[in-house]
Amino acid sequence: MMEVRLIILMRLDKYICQNTNLSRSAAKKAISSGQISVNFDGIKNPAFKVKMSDQVFYCDEQISTLGHRYLMLNKPSGYICSTQDEVHPSVLNLIDIDKHERLHIVGRLDVDTTGLVLITDDGQWSHRITSPKRNCQKSYQVDLAENVSADNIEVFKKGLLLNNELKPTLPAQLILQSKQKALLSIQEGRYHQVKRMFAAVGNHVEALHRISIGRITLDIQLAEGEWRYLTEDEIASMS
Ligand code: URA
């Protein structure tokens, strides 16, 4: 029987644009200025057809077709963690890189919550963080309206029933820092979970700031609204 193989070909400028941060016009410029080679031959024609098995180099670095992007952002208050809202801007507006519309936000913070937000275009990676089966730890710095009772440590550790829910929360770790400040680590992501946990013990969250997700900790060099790419170790810690 004759073997039929489908070879997918793509224009060189499109290939570069899909697999790097370059826009189509920047990709064309890189090609015409001799910065691109295919299988070690310099190519100056943007319409040159590339096979998926070809090795394409940009400034002597091979372009990976798995080029996912992973970022951390220090979210300011007043921004939302979804793409559309009529009142508030999305945190994605703070990410000033090409093709930021391909990125998505890993989990959500309330509009008034600040701190660590992870952003990526790798759906499998973000699923590993948000999947309820993974019990990924998230830590928050919490400012409270009332004094925190030491009894809350045990209550949160055991798990408590939130309003209108049937299943108690999973064990959470509460560390008291001062009369009205605490650190809370939870392993779920229920709606307004931290605020509702404190409401359930008669307190009220005045300010909430996420410090870490799994082993990824908010970089203290990042001012509110600033972001950076994750390191390879940070990405691998969620793999
Ligand atoms: N819990 C909350 O109540 N709000 C957040 O933004 C995150 C966790």
Side-chain angles (χ1 to χ4, degrees), residues 11-13 31-32 42-49:
R11 278 179 64 106
L12 181 57
D13 54 354
I31 297 165
S32 60
I43 303 289
K44 289 201 165 179
N45 174 9
F48 180 88
K49 291 286 189 300

Side-chain angles (χ1 to χ4, degrees), residues 73-141:
L73 165 76
N74 185 357
K75 176 190 175 297
S77 180
Y79 283 78
I80 50 146
C81 285
S82 60
T83 41
Q84 274 179 350
D85 184 282
E86 289 184 358
V87 183
H88 302 285
S90 164
V91 292
L92 290 180
N93 294 359
L94 297 164
I95 312 300
D96 47 348
I97 54 176
D98 266 351
K99 301 182 212 119
H100 76 270
E101 66 284 354
R102 292 190 192 165
L103 300 169
H104 63 263
I105 304 148
V106 184
R108 292 190 175 194
L109 289 182
D110 298 335
V111 66
D112 55 348
T113 302
T114 57
L116 179 63
V117 170
L118 298 176
I119 295 170
T120 184
D121 55 4
D122 182 346
Q124 287 188 353
W125 187 80
S126 56
H127 180 71
R128 282 198 285 276
I129 298 170
T130 53
S131 165
K133 288 186 195 138
R134 293 265 179 159
N135 299 129
C136 179
Q137 291 282 343
K138 285 144 296 233
S139 301
Y140 296 85
Q141 169 76 59

Side-chain angles (χ1 to χ4, degrees), residues 108-110 113 140 186 190 192-196 208:
R108 292 190 175 194
L109 289 182
D110 298 335
T113 302
Y140 296 85
I186 57 174
R190 300 192 200 184
H192 294 326
Q193 181 160 346
V194 176
K195 291 175 185 163
R196 289 165 71 215
L208 192 56

Side-chain angles (χ1 to χ4, degrees), residues 10-17 24-38 41-51 54 56-57:
M10 187 187 286
R11 278 179 64 106
L12 181 57
D13 54 354
K14 186 172 179 198
Y15 177 99
I16 294 168
C17 173
R24 194 74 171 248
S25 63
K28 282 188 174 145
K29 258 190 213 150
I31 297 165
S32 60
S33 61
Q35 291 173 294
I36 304 291
S37 62
V38 179
D41 291 329
I43 303 289
K44 289 201 165 179
N45 174 9
F48 180 88
K49 291 286 189 300
V50 191
K51 295 192 290 297
D54 284 339
V56 182
F57 294 82

